[in-house]
Amino acid sequence: MFARDAGRLWQHHFQAPDSLSAFHNTADQRAWIPTPYFGGQSSPGTLGAWNAQDYPNIAPAPVGMRDWADIRAFSEHTKTNFGLRSGFNASSPDIQKQIKVTELGKTFYGLVINWLRVRHDTGDLDYKNPEQMSQLTGELATIAADLFGNAFGMDPGQMEAFIRQEFPQEALSRTVLECGYWCDPKCRYVQDAKNRHFPAEVYPDYPEQTTKECFLSPDTENLTDKGLWRSPKAKGPNLGVNGGNFPLIHLDSLFWFAMFTGWKNVMATPKEAARAKGQQGSLCTII
């Protein structure tokens, strides 16, 4: 319900409420960027304390979106906004389009991480369990379809069909396995990090499946038996080492696939295709 409402709001140039506390509170200056390298942004960084329950904007009961007071038009952005580099002019049309893409990224990642947290807390996130991973595959496809289908005026069922038929099955499988691996409540990646070795079923093409400092430093100070923790004050484990990379890198491919599938659908309409043709037909033109 949150995904569908957020998509409808985005289509009409409104920003949905934040779906994750990491997006809502950036006072500690450890901002995490959901659309890395887009529009000159820096690397995504660590998503700290990924427990979605401390900011229940997505209600545990089936009521969808809760904090409607946070809804606002994208045109209301007038100063530095989370997720984009500082010092930009938010009234610029190009920056407005970058804000829209970043906000859709925040919603997508927030929805996925909220759902991963549900599976984490119920013990249904074992990357070695084919049935659980198969179920998670369908759930991630549905989340993406509901959000991006509504955002681009498509039937969510049509968007989900595109994801299942045209998004490479291997890429979707890698995405799901990676989510299960790093969010597994058993934190089996801790021992893998200590052994400097990734499981081949999750990273089959990684050079000898060994960890690299740029991805995960095995002797990081915040690596504990309960996972990666920023500090004793944190409410939950991190997803990635401090100053390192967010490990759910394959989610990015699903995000951009759904984004461009929606864009192509808009381009298929005669009115938008004619308008885009006169303005070079870019994604930002459509947005």
Side-chain angles (χ1 to χ4, degrees):
M1 292 177 68
F2 190 106
R4 292 178 179 182
D5 287 343
R8 293 185 186 105
L9 287 168
W10 192 89
Q11 183 188 23
H12 294 286
H13 310 291
F14 285 95
Q15 174 183 329
D18 289 327
S19 55
L20 203 64
S21 59
F23 303 143
H24 196 70
N25 177 18
T26 58
D28 60 359
Q29 298 182 341
R30 295 177 183 266
W32 176 76
I33 300 173
T35 50
Y37 318 117
F38 179 75
Q41 299 169 19
S42 58
S43 63
T46 301
L47 185 66
W50 66 285
N51 188 346
Q53 296 177 345
D54 61 345
Y55 182 61
N57 225 357
I58 300 177
V63 297
M65 199 174 289
R66 297 185 73 176
D67 196 354
W68 288 82
D70 278 357
I71 295 173
R72 58 174 172 165
F74 287 109
S75 59
E76 293 181 50
H77 286 276
T78 58
K79 59 182 180 180
T80 301
N81 181 64
F82 175 81
L84 294 169
R85 59 186 176 183
S86 61
F88 67 83
N89 177 12
S91 63
S92 164
D94 287 341
I95 296 299
Q96 283 283 310
K97 293 162 186 172
Q98 291 179 22
I99 289 173
K100 285 197 69 178
V101 173
T102 296
E103 287 298 327
L104 196 58
K106 286 168 59 177
T107 301
F108 172 69
Y109 277 94
L111 285 163
V112 170
I113 289 165
N114 267 280
W115 188 248
L116 291 176
R117 192 70 205 193
V118 169
R119 281 196 161 272
H120 173 280
D121 291 350
T122 56
D124 298 318
L125 198 58
D126 184 353
Y127 78 93
K128 291 181 176 290
N129 186 315
E131 183 178 353
Q132 291 183 11
M133 292 299 97
S134 176
Q135 291 174 348
L136 183 59
T137 298
E139 291 156 359
L140 294 191
T142 298
I143 288 172
D146 283 347
L147 175 63
F148 290 95
N150 282 284
F152 287 97
M154 295 176 62
D155 177 80
Q158 182 186 15
M159 173 64 82
E160 185 164 352
F162 275 118
I163 292 173
R164 291 185 175 277
Q165 295 170 14
E166 297 189 18
F167 187 58
Q169 184 59 42
E170 182 181 1
L172 187 57
S173 176
R174 296 271 187 103
T175 299
V176 171
L177 282 170
E178 192 171 61
C179 288
Y181 178 69
W182 289 103
C183 303
D184 181 0
K186 297 179 181 178
C187 298
R188 285 174 283 198
Y189 69 82
V190 172
Q191 192 58 47
D192 292 339
K194 292 178 179 179
N195 294 336
R196 301 180 64 89
H197 188 271
F198 285 134
E201 61 263 44
V202 181
Y203 296 104
D205 296 328
Y206 207 83
E208 299 180 358
Q209 289 79 47
T210 57
T211 61
K212 299 292 183 181
E213 187 174 352
C214 63
F215 191 77
L216 175 66
S217 177
D219 46 23
T220 180
E221 293 182 358
N222 63 342
L223 182 64
T224 73
D225 290 339
K226 295 182 180 180
L228 292 159
W229 289 72
R230 174 184 300 165
S231 71
K233 297 180 181 179
K235 295 182 179 180
N238 291 9
L239 282 177
V241 297
N242 290 341
N245 291 330
F246 179 65
L248 306 184
I249 55 177
H250 286 95
L251 269 176
D252 199 49
S253 62
L254 179 57
F255 168 75
W256 286 109
F257 175 86
M259 171 71 79
F260 280 99
T261 297
W263 169 66
K264 288 194 298 181
N265 179 73
V266 173
M267 283 286 291
T269 63
K271 179 180 178 180
E272 290 296 341
R275 182 170 71 91
K277 183 177 181 181
Q279 301 179 38
Q280 299 181 347
S282 68
L283 173 62
C284 284
T285 298
I286 299 300
I287 294 172

